Amino acid sequence: MEKALRFLLVRDDYYHQRGYWVIASAMRDAGIEVILGGIQTPPETVETAIQEDVDIIGCRIMQGAPDIVIPVLFDKMKERGIGNIPVVVGGIVPEKNERLLRELGVKEIFHPHTPLKTIVERVKAIGDEYKNRGTEK
């Protein structure tokens, strides 16, 4: 039996929780194993990702500055040897920050009102690509 895709979902604040829970439910309903990290700093996110052996990291950003938070996350991931785990970002991401985030390696950026089906399909595709790395001939 194939191992379910393991998706770590973290957020940056106590407020605006509805989207976090809606995304978590949609992923679960699609057969993705969701690890609810809650509110975590980038170093905490990295440690959780290692402990939970996740296939993809999702960061919901509403209050933090993604141009500050995400570079720190990638730096910590590289320090701990998990720089290859894909990262997706959702929430309030200023358009001016998108280019930087994509250059850093963010695989996808989801904005409010992105259809849940689109989010689930992209997360599955990105996570499956990561899980299948090295198994293709």
Side-chain angles (χ1 to χ4, degrees):
M1 185 171 167
E2 186 176 335
K3 177 183 145 195
L5 185 68
R6 295 176 57 82
F7 179 68
L8 171 60
L9 182 59
V10 299
R11 63 182 205 259
D12 66 337
D13 71 2
Y14 285 102
Y15 308 102
H16 310 290
Q17 293 185 33
R18 183 175 299 161
Y20 176 84
W21 298 111
V22 167
I23 295 297
S25 294
M27 297 296 168
R28 181 202 61 211
D29 293 347
I32 296 170
E33 185 175 344
V34 180
I35 294 93
L36 295 172
I39 300 167
Q40 294 194 350
T41 63
E44 293 168 331
T45 300
V46 169
E47 292 308 312
T48 301
I50 292 169
Q51 291 171 8
E52 297 291 341
D53 190 26
V54 300
D55 300 304
I56 187 167
I57 297 171
C59 298
R60 197 285 330 240
I61 296 177
M62 297 298 280
Q63 300 289 332
D67 59 328
I68 296 171
V69 173
I70 299 302
V72 173
L73 175 65
F74 276 107
D75 286 347
K76 297 298 178 190
M77 290 173 67
K78 288 175 186 160
E79 285 176 18
R80 296 288 281 138
I82 61 166
N84 61 337
I85 295 176
V87 174
V88 297
V89 175
I92 305 298
V93 178
E95 196 173 316
K96 66 180 182 180
N97 295 148
E98 287 194 28
R99 184 173 176 192
L100 168 68
L101 299 181
R102 291 187 191 281
E103 288 174 357
L104 288 170
V106 169
K107 297 294 185 188
E108 193 65 72
I109 299 169
F110 302 110
H111 297 281
H113 308 295
T114 300
L116 285 174
K117 182 179 178 191
T118 300
I119 296 171
V120 168
E121 287 174 355
R122 286 296 298 143
V123 166
K124 275 185 154 182
I126 293 166
D128 286 343
E129 182 180 319
Y130 173 75
K131 281 177 59 174
N132 296 327
R133 69 196 183 285
T135 60
E136 296 177 8
K137 296 181 180 175

